[in-house]
Amino acid sequence: MQFQQLAYFAAVAETRHFTRAAERVRVAQPSLSQQIRALERDVGAVLFHRIRGNVTLTEAGETLLPIARRILAETEAAYRSIRELDELGRGRVRLGATPSLCTGLVPAMLAAFRREYPGIELVLHESGSRDLQTELSEGALDLAMIVDSRVQDDARLESRPLFVEELVAISPKSAPAPVRGRMPIRALRERPLVMFRRGYDLREATVNACRAEGFDPLFAIEGGEMDAVLELVQAGLGLAVVPSTVVGNRFRRTQFTEPGLSRIVRLAYRRDVEQPRAVRALQEAILRFLGDGTAKLPPGTRSLVGVQA
């Protein structure tokens, strides 16, 4: 089994097409096919179903893919570490974050990092916490900012708390406040909600809080991502429960009665891989941003940098 063969295999698995995979890795398609067949002989199993141009992974291929991705990612990390020994004027960091974080604090964090290290390439991947952990574990990401409730047991991963953020109900500024002062969760019983798609951390947090009060919430509309939910609330379709970090000045913010709703955001990384200097630099910059007062955190959001997990 050769490194080049694993790279070709991963390219075919991701494109589901031999010709497009060959174009991606810049090799002639017959040579790529020959190397894939050689890899199949080495592992003793067929890796792809090839039916009328429809390429899909076999069970053996599904088993090999995360292993191949880890090997490729660790090899790339080794090359990057060597290239970055002398300076931090170059490099590449792949950061994963949830959609609400990308709408909230992440842009300011990355802007501060970019000012300090303009030569480092940043790649931001937006997805749910569970998917981000999988991609981090497989080596497709260097760091991931995830929600605490979604931290799954994985011997390859480690995480540390960054901040706790309050969840609040938002409504258009042009509409009357839902209640005076703080709002109890039970006040959501008769209020239609703009609800995120299934699998969204905020959807589960809202639904679970309502069910703890003995009712299922009423949805005015559901299935949106963060940007869509904010626009739907602005259009007057209903309330939404979101982190305080995404609210800004566009919406009326209503806090929940104590103990309220909140969530912890953590920074996750691989414990079994030596991080390149550029990755370490971003990790340190994020901690500095939250720990030295640089971040202008909204009410209800509190840094946990320096606090024991």
Side-chain angles (χ1 to χ4, degrees):
M1 186 184 301
Q2 300 175 10
F3 175 82
Q4 187 180 57
Q5 292 173 341
L6 292 178
Y8 293 171
F9 163 71
V12 176
E14 290 165 4
T15 61
R16 295 295 197 267
H17 198 280
F18 277 79
T19 301
R20 285 197 291 270
E23 292 172 353
R24 174 186 288 190
V25 297
R26 298 180 181 180
V27 68
Q29 192 268 328
S31 297
L32 180 140
S33 297
Q34 182 179 11
Q35 289 299 318
I36 294 296
R37 287 194 294 271
L39 177 61
E40 289 176 323
R41 287 195 297 271
D42 287 344
V43 300
V46 175
L47 301 173
F48 295 103
H49 295 298
R50 306 166 174 86
I51 304 174
R52 296 179 183 177
N54 183 25
V55 179
T56 58
L57 286 167
T58 63
E59 184 176 356
E62 293 282 3
T63 301
L64 178 61
L65 182 58
I67 299 171
R69 282 175 170 165
R70 284 199 295 273
I71 292 172
L72 294 170
E74 289 166 9
T75 303
E76 173 61 20
Y79 283 133
R80 280 188 286 156
S81 294
I82 293 170
R83 289 196 299 265
E84 295 164 8
L85 282 176
D86 295 331
E87 59 180 342
L88 273 171
R90 60 182 184 269
R92 182 170 179 263
V93 187
R94 302 161 300 169
L95 173 68
T98 65
S100 59
L101 294 172
C102 290
T103 305
L105 286 178
V106 166
M109 286 180 178
L110 297 187
F113 178 77
R114 185 73 174 173
R115 287 192 294 270
E116 189 172 359
Y117 300 106
I120 295 179
E121 178 188 357
L122 292 170
V123 180
L124 178 63
H125 181 64
E126 184 177 346
S127 190
S129 293
R130 184 174 294 170
D131 291 340
L132 291 176
Q133 283 185 255
T134 298
E135 292 173 47
L136 182 63
S137 181
E138 292 178 354
L141 294 173
D142 299 306
L143 300 169
M145 293 175 63
I146 57 179
V147 176
D148 189 66
S149 62
R150 284 299 193 182
V151 175
Q152 309 292 322
D153 289 334
D154 189 323
R156 290 183 293 269
L157 301 185
E158 192 167 339
S159 68
R160 61 174 300 164
L162 292 179
F163 57 92
V164 57
E165 57 182 352
E166 182 182 24
L167 303 184
V168 297
I170 59 170
S171 54
K173 279 191 170 180
S174 57
V179 298
R180 286 192 174 188
R182 290 179 175 261
M183 178 170 62
I185 298 295
R186 62 178 178 274
L188 296 177
R189 182 189 295 269
E190 302 300 332
R191 297 182 181 277
L193 298 179
V194 177
M195 184 51 66
F196 298 93
R197 62 169 170 79
R198 292 186 182 276
Y200 231 84
D201 305 318
L202 291 166
R203 178 190 180 110
E204 293 185 18
T206 305
V207 171
N208 290 340
C210 291
R211 286 177 176 168
E213 293 291 324
F215 68 96
D216 285 317
L218 174 66
F219 299 161
I221 186 169
E222 61 176 315
E225 301 281 349
M226 176 58 71
D227 289 343
V229 166
L230 295 178
E231 292 302 322
L232 291 167
V233 171
Q234 186 68 23
L237 271 76
L239 305 180
V241 177
V242 301
S244 58
T245 48
V246 309
V247 178
N249 296 319
R250 294 177 55 197
F251 300 95
R252 186 185 301 278
R253 174 201 314 253
T254 302
Q255 295 174 288
F256 291 102
T257 52
E258 298 294 344
L261 293 178
S262 65
R263 67 180 189 175
I264 294 174
V265 173
R266 304 181 72 90
L267 182 65
Y269 46 91
R270 289 277 297 274
R271 72 168 79 211
D272 59 340
V273 174
E274 180 66 26
Q275 294 179 338
R277 290 187 66 195
V279 176
R280 297 199 304 272
L282 178 57
Q283 183 173 349
E284 291 164 4
I286 290 172
L287 298 178
R288 221 168 32 246
F289 181 84
L290 292 166
D292 65 3
T294 301
K296 295 181 179 178
L297 301 179
T301 303
R302 178 171 51 89
S303 173
L304 295 176
V305 173
V307 177
Q308 294 296 317

